[in-house]
Amino acid sequence: MRRVPRPPHGPVAIATSPWIVVGAGVVVMVVLLIVALGAYRGRSPAPDGAQPPALPVPSAVVAPSVPTSVPSPAPVLPGISGRASGLPPSAAAGSGSPSADPTAGPIGKPTATRSPSRAGPGQSAMTGRYRVVQSFDGGFIGEVAMVNTSTRSRGWTVRLEFSGGRLVTAWVEGVPQGTIRQSDDGFTYVSGVDVSPGGSVSLRFHMERAPSTPRECTVDGARCNGL
């Protein structure tokens, strides 16, 4: 008996069955086609006329400009200083309409001003009064109290003369010190600061071995009171 030959394996079987190769190629082509279609659909083209979105560009922050208004200068009236603000004293005094000052002249015309009062002949704007503040063995402390009776600030000069004795010191109460000029029979004190109108100042001094009553006391050349 003859034996039935076994079918060949491997490449010999593929060569004898070509339909297997064709089927495998068709399957591969179908898979590749499906993958290509999926990739193509993933790319969604932009519609016609559409533009890509613009990237935001940082811009500088500009503060809003605030219009500034410059006030117009107030009209300057004749006889009123340009530095003065508000109404004149005569107008600010009343709550209603300003009343005219009886001492003021017409607008645009110079008005007469009152000059400060001056001391008459033989009188001094600085008046002085002499007194003894304290007496002790061998000396005393005297004082010349002065008042400015004028309408402006002014300095002063005190002259004291004694029949003997010696000046120890002299000073002014509460204000900067002045200048002392000594002599054989007394001393002269010149103020170091002016006295305001109506103000007062006191000069005190310490004398040794001298009579408590001076031979002469003057303020700006006028005799002191209290002697």
Side-chain angles (χ1 to χ4, degrees):
M1 293 181 65
R2 294 181 178 180
R3 294 180 179 180
V4 179
R6 294 180 179 179
H9 298 281
V12 178
I14 295 175
T16 58
S17 302
W19 59 268
I20 298 176
V21 176
V22 174
V26 172
V27 171
V28 171
M29 291 181 63
V30 171
V31 171
L32 293 177
L33 181 61
I34 293 174
V35 172
L37 289 176
Y40 179 79
R41 289 181 180 180
R43 299 180 182 178
S44 57
D48 296 339
Q51 296 181 358
L55 296 177
V57 179
S59 59
V61 178
V62 180
S65 59
V66 180
T68 57
S69 59
V70 179
S72 58
V76 179
L77 299 178
I80 299 178
S81 172
R83 294 178 296 176
S85 59
L87 297 175
S90 59
S95 59
S97 59
S99 59
D101 187 358
T103 60
I107 296 178
K109 293 183 180 181
T111 57
T113 57
R114 297 178 61 183
S115 59
S117 60
R118 299 180 180 178
Q123 296 180 356
S124 174
M126 295 289 297
T127 61
R129 176 175 292 275
Y130 177 85
R131 74 183 183 101
V132 176
V133 177
Q134 182 181 0
S135 297
F136 45 85
D137 187 17
F140 70 95
I141 295 177
E143 178 188 69
V144 179
M146 293 161 283
V147 177
N148 183 7
T149 60
S150 66
T151 57
R152 63 180 181 87
S153 298
R154 60 189 308 121
W156 45 270
T157 301
V158 173
R159 173 65 184 171
L160 285 164
E161 296 181 4
F162 294 90
S163 56
R166 183 181 71 91
L167 174 67
V168 178
T169 184
W171 68 95
V172 181
E173 295 288 339
V175 297
Q177 303 304 304
T179 305
I180 303 174
R181 294 195 299 264
Q182 297 191 51
S183 59
D184 295 337
D185 54 352
F187 68 95
T188 301
Y189 191 99
V190 181
S191 64
V193 64
D194 293 346
V195 182
S196 59
S200 60
V201 66
S202 296
L203 171 66
R204 290 190 176 184
F205 55 92
H206 178 193
M207 293 291 297
E208 287 184 347
R209 299 184 302 273
S212 59
T213 301
R215 187 174 59 188
E216 187 67 31
C217 174
T218 60
V219 177
D220 291 341
R223 186 175 176 82
C224 300
N225 299 322
L227 296 178

